[in-house]
Amino acid sequence: MRTGRAPSGAPGRQSAPGAEPDGQPGLLPGIPRQRGSQEVAAQDVPVQEAPAGRDGTSAGAPPAGLRGRSWRLLPTPVGTPFTFGYALLLVATSLFAEYGDPGLVSELLQGSSTDVVHLAQSPLMVLVASALWIAGGMTSAYAIGFLFVLTALERRLGALRTAAVFFGGHALATLATELPVAFSVAAGRLPETSLHRLDYGISFGVMTCIGALAGLLPAWLRWPLLAGVGYLAVTDLLAYADPLTDWGHLLSLTLGVAAWPLLRRWRTHRTRPAPLLGELGRPALQGAGTS
């Protein structure tokens, strides 16, 4: 076989149509989405950077760390509907107690009192009605504790279970403090006027929720919270200003702590992922490995 030689001064290899002088493949006419065109377009488009804020971060960047989660400390109508709706109700009753007719307010508070007489006549009504008022107004410590504690508890347990903890502690602590009064009056150890004491407010429910929330927090938050709240409850009890109510506060906190095993099962059930469903609506993994 005979081979030819390229003429002198002629290139030994001819360039393909559309090739670039530097040896890189060029763009072929009529063929869209070629790699070279995308690379050139990407190189030609300038990158616009977002203007920096005063703290050096991007102006459009979302807040980081605690700033991004601070809104979760307060109730919202979607995230915590029970706490949000209940808080609005308490604001309304507190404003009415502050600016309403004094005679009407006094009559309503007397009718909402969970004393022995009202508990014997209409226990369910007064247990609910007594939790519609804040003793001390919206600026009291229990009002502030209600807002933050119930919000944190509802975000972990849900609305229905948070309501069960609150009203369960409210009812049990009320009955546990008023029934001994009835027995003492019947035994002659207390005067009959003790059957008509004025007793209302949300403090028993809030203390129960504090004890319940402590069991769902990490240890470095749980024990300081219990120690601080427990110290305040014992201090008030030793002051002996209102021993029946102060005993109820300590009992409510204990009820919340006693509910830790149940609350942790509730939280585990709430955070457990839903099972995958098969074609017939049954769990997809049910019966796996059988033939």
Side-chain angles (χ1 to χ4, degrees), residues 153 156-157 161-162 164-166 208-216 255-270:
L153 189 63
R156 289 163 172 80
L157 296 180
R161 288 165 179 168
T162 301
V165 173
F166 180 89
T208 304
C209 289
I210 292 176
L213 177 63
L216 303 178
L255 288 174
V257 173
W260 283 1
L262 178 61
L263 299 177
R264 287 167 179 170
R265 285 199 298 269
W266 281 355
R267 185 182 186 184
T268 302
H269 179 75
R270 174 180 170 84

Side-chain angles (χ1 to χ4, degrees), residues 15-283:
S15 300
E20 297 294 336
D22 57 355
Q24 298 294 333
L27 303 180
L28 299 180
I31 301 179
R33 296 186 179 180
Q34 301 179 56
R35 183 179 64 181
S37 62
Q38 296 176 357
E39 293 175 354
V40 172
Q43 294 175 359
D44 293 341
V45 176
V47 178
Q48 297 181 356
E49 297 181 357
R54 293 182 178 181
D55 55 354
T57 60
S58 177
L66 184 59
R67 292 179 300 170
R69 299 186 181 93
S70 59
W71 63 272
R72 294 178 60 85
L73 298 177
L74 296 175
T76 58
V78 177
T80 56
F82 169 71
T83 306
F84 186 84
Y86 199 177
L88 291 181
L89 182 60
L90 292 174
V91 168
T93 57
S94 298
L95 291 176
F96 176 76
E98 182 71 21
Y99 301 105
D101 179 69
L104 180 59
V105 170
S106 177
E107 183 180 351
L108 290 176
L109 291 179
Q110 290 287 346
S112 303
S113 177
T114 52
D115 53 30
V116 176
V117 174
H118 286 98
L119 285 174
Q121 294 174 352
S122 51
L124 183 59
M125 188 191 73
V126 294
L127 283 173
V128 175
S130 63
L132 300 180
W133 309 91
I134 304 177
M138 292 183 294
T139 58
S140 65
Y142 288 106
I144 299 174
F146 171 92
L147 201 63
F148 291 101
V149 171
L150 266 75
T151 298
L153 189 63
E154 186 172 353
R155 292 193 184 279
R156 289 163 172 80
L157 296 180
L160 293 179
R161 288 165 179 168
T162 301
V165 173
F166 180 89
F167 287 109
H170 171 74
L172 290 177
T174 299
L175 294 176
T177 52
E178 294 296 339
L179 289 179
V181 174
F183 294 147
S184 299
V185 171
R189 297 183 178 179
L190 288 177
E192 292 187 2
T193 55
S194 301
L195 302 177
H196 300 276
R197 61 186 301 268
L198 187 62
D199 187 14
Y200 65 90
I202 60 173
S203 59
F204 288 174
V206 172
M207 290 293 284
T208 304
C209 289
I210 292 176
L213 177 63
L216 303 178
L217 296 176
W220 64 275
L221 281 176
R222 176 187 310 144
W223 303 118
L225 176 63
L226 284 180
V229 177
Y231 172 78
L232 293 177
V234 173
T235 302
D236 292 340
L237 182 61
L238 294 178
Y240 214 73
D242 189 357
L244 198 62
T245 301
D246 296 333
W247 269 116
H249 291 160
L250 196 58
L251 176 61
S252 301
L253 184 65
T254 306
L255 288 174
V257 173
W260 283 1
L262 178 61
L263 299 177
R264 287 167 179 170
R265 285 199 298 269
W266 281 355
R267 185 182 186 184
T268 302
H269 179 75
R270 174 180 170 84
T271 57
R272 183 182 303 167
L276 299 176
L277 299 181
E279 296 180 356
L280 300 179
R282 298 178 179 178

